[in-house]
Amino acid sequence: MRFATGCKLVSFATVAGMLLLPGCARHKTGTAAYAGESNAAAKVIAQRKLTPADVVGALKTFEPPGRRDKYLMFASGGQGGQVLVWGFPSMRLLQEIPVFTPDSMAGWGYGGVGDQVLREGYIPASKMGPRQRIRWGDAHHPALSETHGVYDGKWLFINDKADGRVAVVDLRDFACKQIVKNPIFYNDHGSTFITPNTRYVIETSQYSAPLGGAYAPLRGYKQDYRGEMTFWRFDRKTGRIDSKRSFAVEFPPYWQDLAVSGKLASRGWAFCNSFNVAMYHGNDMNGAPSFEAGATRRDTDYLHIIHLAQAIKVFKTGSFKRINGFPVIPLKTAIADHILFFTPETKSPHGCDVAPDGRYIIVNGKLDPHVSVYSFKNIQAAIAAGPTTWRHDAYGVPILPMRKTIKARIEVGLGPLHTQFDNKGFAYTTLFIDSAIAKWSLGGAYEKMHPDVKPWSLIQKLPVNYNPGHLAVIGGDTEHPTGQYLVALNKWSIDRFDCVGPLYPEDMQVIDISGPKMRLLSDTPLCVGETHYAQIIAYSKIHAWRVYPKVGWNPLTQSVDPNAPMPGNERIVRHGNKVEIFMTAVRSHYTPEIVKVNQGDQITWHVTNIERTPNATHGFAVSGYNINLTLNPGETETFHIHADHAGVFSFYCTKFCSALHLEMTGYLVVKPRATH
Ligand code: CUK
Ligand code: CUA
């Protein structure tokens, strides 16, 4: 039961009313007014049958009209293929950043800049087949860029699990700038995770397959199938991933899961879970067990320990092969050059998280009620102990003994998945099966932060609704977490909201972690995608543009476009059957408003929104040609139309921008061939 208070509502309401009445000296003048209000508040509390917990939840998360949130939460949109930006902790949805999936609200993927970015993410033509135009994504893990291990508010990265892609979002305009397709793998999952100065964006494959997208029969699984970890080099100057300076490390064909970069003590290293170390590859129609049985046969899987700094050295000496032109450090080299080590972990783990000081790697096995804490120092000692103390897997990868690498195991409950950290030496782990959050204490250097609490011990379990996947604490992935609140990203909502048909929303629950006990504050349904993961940053660290810096701004180059139409030079230029249109948009007209072309013409169409007023965004939609742009103040976009369909097509502004918005329209007249 959530509200087991059983209090008498009226008497509580009176108390709550008094609570609402500020008694401090600052407010003395307003006391009489507040007294009236507090009576009204007490009445509402009684009428709505609110409990003390409800009132605290409301008071902690509610932002009064006109007041803004102190934090922003960047959440993945799962199958929606986008990023959602929430005001936190009020949980007001502020922005949807389209990434892998076309989005008509944002005009993404209907002719303009979104098309260009989406095209980059297509699977290129190869000897295995034609180009695949991928028009959706399964966005899992957003990662804010960091400087010295702390979010710097400049970029956001996000992966697409379905097709092995990574995208870059620029936080000056909150828009996606780049999608890179992994050249050697079709899917991913341990992604995106970044190194503490955002030099590398980590992308790890999930379901083993032949590298490079080749064909190999399943019976050749052990020889021909592989996993891998890609290190995308991020260039802060260009704001782009630089494929030329990126590389991958080949892994055995285990199914790699969550990956994470080391921090502070473990900088220069990366870690990654795996499952199906059994290398089970099925055959259910011939009576073999399903994957869920076959892949979980062994008692242990392997935590992958990757010496990234060493891998970079090896990459720079040129000790790699190329697959589809992309540098890959072969498994043999990764073993010989001490890039890759394993240590056992209880079977079918999921979460892999590094404590803020970098000294502990937390691994949670879905089928084990414990969290396992690995010590980075112990891992180093086990590596230093040398080959005579190691075992090796079938491929020759050193296996460090678990009893040497592990530091603590804490029983927290059923189905532990993901862990986050606060600023007081505590960790929080989601319990998928228990439907709860476990709060537990870190040991080591963290002990002095909570001297009265036993280290490595369970402190509290708070029920959530229901089946939490990830969770996020403010700054929870950084070297210096903020704490204060966490949000549980619950997969099921069952009975929490009005029924709106058989497709249920997720439930995101905000929890207060500022006191000794966790406290549930609010529920927020989410129906536009499945948020797998989120990161929360102080709004003060974000420096977003209110309008584009100059008129004629190209959001891809983040500079003025030399082809941008400017006020006074609007025109229509024809060369044979090629027509180029230079158009401006301002409240409440386009110039030109009449565009006449001939059937079969190739049109290149530029539009600039010449507004300098914040919020004065215009749309631009052309009937019959699937064109839909969103033009923010200053922005220029370019699109192409092959005018193969004759007729009269209106174009118009899709944003209600002014009193004469309906007049913000024009005609595209396409004269049929016969009448030319
Ligand atoms: S995953 Cu979805 S709940 Cu992709 Cu990090 Cu665990
Ligand atoms: Cu511009 Cu409506």
Side-chain angles (χ1 to χ4, degrees):
M1 272 290 289
R2 186 180 155 199
F3 305 129
T5 53
C7 68
K8 285 199 191 75
L9 288 166
V10 175
S11 66
F12 158 65
T14 315
V15 175
M18 287 163 67
L19 277 174
L20 289 169
L21 192 147
C24 70
R26 281 193 300 130
H27 288 96
K28 248 190 191 129
T29 49
T31 304
Y34 268 104
E37 286 295 319
S38 70
N39 281 338
K43 235 189 232 158
V44 173
I45 289 165
Q47 276 165 357
R48 296 199 63 210
K49 299 188 167 51
L50 300 177
T51 67
D54 295 338
V55 174
V56 171
L59 292 179
K60 284 229 170 192
T61 56
F62 176 67
E63 287 297 353
R67 244 166 75 168
R68 303 197 213 151
D69 282 288
K70 241 180 106 183
Y71 299 96
L72 293 184
M73 176 166 90
F74 291 85
S76 66
Q79 316 83 345
Q82 78 285 54
V83 172
L84 303 167
V85 187
W86 296 85
F88 190 86
S90 75
M91 297 301 284
R92 295 179 294 181
L93 184 58
L94 298 178
Q95 190 59 282
E96 184 189 5
I97 307 171
V99 179
F100 300 111
T101 307
D103 181 311
S104 52
M105 182 274 171
W108 183 256
Y110 301 95
V113 67
D115 271 27
Q116 292 181 53
V117 177
L118 287 167
R119 262 198 299 273
E120 281 184 64
Y122 289 170
I123 298 169
S126 72
K127 59 175 186 273
M128 306 307 293
R131 179 159 91 145
Q132 298 293 316
R133 294 174 173 80
I134 308 296
R135 302 286 280 183
W136 78 289
D138 187 8
H140 273 236
H141 305 105
L144 286 159
S145 58
E146 293 181 9
T147 299
H148 304 309
V150 176
Y151 303 146
D152 59 26
K154 297 257 196 299
W155 289 279
L156 182 92
F157 307 91
I158 182 100
N159 71 311
D160 165 24
K161 165 165 164 154
D163 282 290
R165 300 180 298 168
V166 167
V168 181
V169 172
D170 189 328
L171 294 181
R172 286 175 293 180
D173 60 353
F174 279 54
C176 178
K177 303 299 165 189
Q178 183 185 27
I179 299 177
V180 289
K181 168 74 198 93
N182 195 300
I184 64 167
F185 223 88
Y186 280 122
N187 63 69
D188 70 29
H189 190 243
S191 183
T192 54
F193 297 93
I194 54 156
T195 54
N197 280 311
T198 323
R199 277 173 74 82
Y200 288 96
V201 181
I202 297 172
E203 184 192 21
T204 317
S205 63
Q206 181 140 67
Y207 303 114
S208 302
L211 295 185
Y215 167 78
L218 275 157
R219 74 183 122 75
Y221 188 93
K222 290 180 187 172
Q223 311 85 266
D224 300 329
Y225 287 46
R226 288 292 180 269
E228 57 83 37
M229 184 179 268
T230 298
F231 296 96
W232 293 108
R233 182 73 164 83
F234 183 66
D235 184 339
R236 279 181 177 265
K237 277 208 210 85
T238 59
R240 294 287 194 279
I241 283 170
D242 183 353
S243 306
K244 298 223 161 56
R245 288 192 285 161
S246 306
F247 66 96
V249 179
E250 179 183 341
F251 287 166
Y254 310 142
W255 291 350
Q256 283 77 26
D257 198 25
L258 281 188
V260 65
S261 164
K263 41 187 139 168
L264 284 174
S266 51
R267 274 194 190 190
W269 293 73
F271 310 93
C272 175
N273 274 330
S274 66
F275 59 117
N276 196 18
V277 162
M279 293 188 279
Y280 185 68
H281 46 279
N283 210 358
D284 58 337
M285 299 313 275
N286 285 331
S290 65
F291 277 118
E292 67 176 332
T296 54
R297 262 180 194 159
R298 289 170 46 107
D299 284 336
T300 56
D301 288 300
Y302 296 136
L303 174 65
H304 293 34
I305 301 157
I306 301 103
H307 195 177
L308 171 57
Q310 177 70 3
I312 294 167
K313 258 193 226 156
V314 169
F315 167 57
K316 286 191 173 152
T317 62
S319 307
F320 53 76
K321 56 185 175 186
R322 283 188 186 269
I323 301 178
N324 293 339
F326 194 72
V328 181
I329 297 176
L331 182 54
K332 279 208 165 70
T333 310
I335 297 165
D337 290 357
H338 310 297
I339 292 169
L340 181 63
F341 301 89
F342 291 156
T343 193
E345 49 190 6
T346 55
K347 71 170 155 193
S348 191
H350 188 45
C352 183
D353 298 282
V354 172
D357 68 3
R359 288 199 169 99
Y360 306 105
I361 301 109
I362 320 295
V363 168
N364 306 318
K366 305 185 283 273
L367 304 176
D368 175 353
H370 297 86
V371 296
S372 298
V373 180
Y374 293 85
S375 150
F376 183 68
K377 209 165 116 197
N378 294 1
I379 287 171
Q380 293 306 303
I383 291 172
T388 55
T389 64
W390 306 336
R391 291 187 305 117
H392 294 86
D393 82 337
Y395 298 87
V397 181
I399 305 169
L400 312 174
M402 191 182 187
R403 70 194 141 74
K404 289 277 165 66
T405 54
I406 209 143
K407 173 81 184 178
R409 279 166 53 76
I410 303 122
E411 188 169 345
V412 289
L414 298 181
L417 291 190
H418 298 287
T419 301
Q420 286 268 285
F421 309 91
D422 70 8
N423 55 342
K424 300 194 188 81
F426 295 102
Y428 302 83
T429 299
T430 50
L431 304 175
F432 184 81
I433 300 172
D434 268 354
S435 285
I437 307 294
K439 174 180 179 177
W440 52 277
S441 58
L442 292 161
Y446 294 100
E447 285 171 43
K448 56 180 184 299
M449 299 172 81
H450 45 59
D452 43 346
V453 171
K454 202 168 138 233
W456 311 121
S457 63
L458 178 67
I459 308 289
Q460 185 201 357
K461 270 166 78 167
L462 181 79
V464 293
N465 312 88
Y466 302 82
N467 308 99
H470 275 274
L471 73 175
V473 171
I474 301 172
D477 286 303
T478 69
E479 293 173 0
H480 303 283
T482 306
Q484 202 170 356
Y485 296 108
L486 76 74
V487 57
L489 304 167
N490 305 319
K491 301 297 183 187
W492 285 26
S493 59
I494 307 181
D495 53 7
R496 303 297 281 186
F497 307 109
D498 292 341
C499 178
V500 288
L503 178 60
Y504 280 57
E506 279 193 68
D507 188 5
M508 303 185 290
Q509 290 184 303
V510 177
I511 294 164
D512 186 355
I513 55 168
S514 59
K517 292 266 167 198
M518 295 181 283
R519 234 183 136 125
L520 181 60
L521 300 179
S522 73
D523 282 37
T524 303
L526 170 65
C527 59
V528 292
E530 178 183 335
T531 285
H532 280 265
Y533 193 35
Q535 289 189 331
I536 307 166
I537 180 176
Y539 174 69
S540 59
K541 290 194 175 176
I542 301 282
H543 302 286
W545 291 328
R546 295 170 63 75
V547 297
Y548 278 111
K550 288 187 175 142
V551 171
W553 200 260
N554 179 334
L556 258 196
T557 59
Q558 298 285 42
S559 61
V560 172
D561 194 319
N563 286 320
M566 294 293 188
N569 78 353
E570 297 92 343
R571 63 204 187 275
I572 300 173
V573 183
R574 172 177 286 278
H575 294 288
N577 72 337
K578 292 201 168 58
V579 179
E580 194 164 6
I581 298 160
F582 298 84
M583 172 184 273
T584 58
V586 72
R587 279 163 292 170
S588 303
H589 59 270
Y590 299 107
T591 310
E593 289 182 332
I594 304 294
V595 174
K596 292 181 189 164
V597 302
N598 300 320
Q599 186 175 21
D601 280 352
Q602 297 286 351
I603 308 176
T604 300
W605 199 319
H606 314 277
V607 195
T608 303
N609 175 350
I610 62 172
E611 303 268 3
R612 302 313 290 145
T613 310
N615 223 149
T617 294
H618 297 291
F620 184 77
V622 186
S623 310
Y625 279 98
N626 203 35
I627 299 297
N628 166 34
L629 311 178
T630 294
L631 296 154
N632 296 308
E635 183 172 359
T636 290
E637 290 222 38
T638 298
F639 63 92
H640 299 276
I641 287 181
H642 178 208
D644 49 2
H645 202 93
V648 178
F649 305 92
S650 61
F651 52 81
Y652 75 102
C653 173
T654 54
K655 310 263 185 242
F656 210 112
C657 54
S658 66
L660 294 175
H661 149 80
L662 291 179
E663 285 81 354
M664 196 166 173
T665 185
Y667 285 111
L668 167 66
V669 182
V670 183
K671 219 190 286 176
R673 260 190 202 100
T675 64
H676 288 181

